[in-house]
Amino acid sequence: MAATLETAKRPFNIDDMLHRIRQEVKQFADAAMFDLAERGYGTAFHQLVACIISVRTRDEVSLPTAIRLFEAAPTAEAVARMSVPQIAALIKPSSFYETKAYNIRDLAKRVAEEYGGDLPCDFEVMTSFRGVGPKCANLTLGIACGATEISVDIHVHRVTNRWGYVSGSTPDATRVALEKKLPRKYWVEINRLLVPFGKHVCTGRLPKCSVCPVLEYCRQIGVTEHR
Ligand code: SF4
């Protein structure tokens, strides 16, 4: 496959690159958090709880799991009225479900008691809950609050560094670099596009460079073997 690695590269055109990837990922399941929002669970509370459920759990599992919880208890008040074992039973397919159930009930109680049931669109408040890190807070801010924060998970980190579009040694360093370079109109969408792209095309091992829609732009940084 050396021939593709030697392909002449075009200057970055992020509009065209993301347009191509938008077409490419249509065939794959939407990223769970966006899918959830489109099903009517798009508030900050829903998104943050769903993100807790999704930690170390595949989208195929975390999405139906979050839906099952919200069908049983659609609001923060309703979740707060449930016991930890009840929540654990509903989210059981998710990994670490007992710890997550405890964290979710704690979060729901605080949202119900301190914020009248509406989780504020506030990074500091969100990350003050157990089980909520910057990635979940930023994704929730992006999807539920319309905030312009880039959520950089391992896929966004890997893909944008392989492109050579940014150079960040950690997801957080990549986020800082992207926020300097990526047009704001893509700050929310990039996660939605690159999560399925990273899972199915620009995979961790043996990325599918030979059929990749952005090969002519991608510098393939660090890619030594590919399909
Ligand atoms: S699959 Fe290959 S060509 Fe495509 S973005 Fe990933 S490293 Fe670049």
Side-chain angles (χ1 to χ4, degrees):
M1 285 291 170
T4 51
L5 284 170
E6 289 162 7
T7 304
K9 301 302 181 182
R10 296 172 64 176
F12 289 118
N13 177 338
I14 198 69
D15 296 308
D16 187 43
M17 292 170 76
L18 294 183
H19 171 72
R20 292 179 185 204
I21 291 173
R22 207 175 288 121
Q23 301 306 312
E24 179 75 19
V25 301
K26 275 185 183 163
Q27 61 187 301
F28 308 124
D30 210 344
M33 301 276 280
F34 291 94
D35 198 337
L36 200 63
E38 280 169 15
R39 288 167 191 253
Y41 301 117
T43 69
F45 172 72
H46 291 126
Q47 291 288 312
L48 203 59
V49 168
C51 199
I52 292 174
I53 291 172
S54 76
V55 172
R56 292 178 182 265
T57 304
R58 287 176 295 120
D59 278 2
E60 303 81 69
V61 172
S62 63
L63 179 63
T65 301
I67 291 170
R68 188 164 53 246
L69 173 64
F70 296 142
E71 282 177 347
T75 63
E77 289 87 347
V79 175
R81 282 194 295 272
M82 299 177 92
S83 66
V84 172
Q86 280 175 315
I87 298 170
L90 285 165
I91 67 165
K92 192 166 180 178
S94 169
S95 54
F96 308 111
Y97 62 93
E98 285 171 317
T99 304
K100 289 176 181 176
Y102 182 79
N103 290 343
I104 288 169
R105 181 155 179 278
D106 189 50
L107 186 157
K109 277 189 83 165
R110 274 186 58 198
V111 170
E113 289 168 8
E114 294 175 28
Y115 303 106
D118 288 323
L119 175 63
C121 286
D122 183 313
F123 182 86
E124 302 299 328
V125 171
M126 290 183 188
T127 51
S128 73
F129 298 111
R130 267 196 306 270
V132 179
K135 183 202 141 206
C136 276
N138 280 332
L139 198 51
T140 298
L141 285 167
I143 298 172
C145 306
T148 45
E149 296 278 350
I150 304 179
S151 175
V152 177
D153 75 341
I154 194 66
H155 299 289
V156 177
H157 173 60
R158 181 177 66 246
V159 173
T160 55
N161 278 278
R162 276 184 177 164
W163 288 348
Y165 186 69
V166 290
S167 177
S169 55
T170 63
D172 207 48
T174 294
R175 178 185 58 75
V176 171
L178 282 173
E179 286 175 358
K180 290 193 183 122
K181 186 159 185 181
L182 185 71
R184 275 187 175 260
K185 62 183 174 182
Y186 296 129
W187 281 23
V188 174
E189 191 188 19
I190 195 159
N191 184 281
R192 180 179 200 165
L193 295 177
L194 296 193
V195 170
F197 184 72
K199 281 185 183 172
H200 298 283
V201 181
C202 193
T203 47
R205 278 193 62 253
L206 296 176
K208 297 179 182 169
C209 300
S210 60
V211 293
C212 177
V214 295
L215 172 62
E216 59 190 310
Y217 291 109
C218 176
R219 274 60 179 165
Q220 295 167 294
I221 306 292
V223 175
T224 51
E225 286 186 297
H226 64 92
R227 289 176 276 179

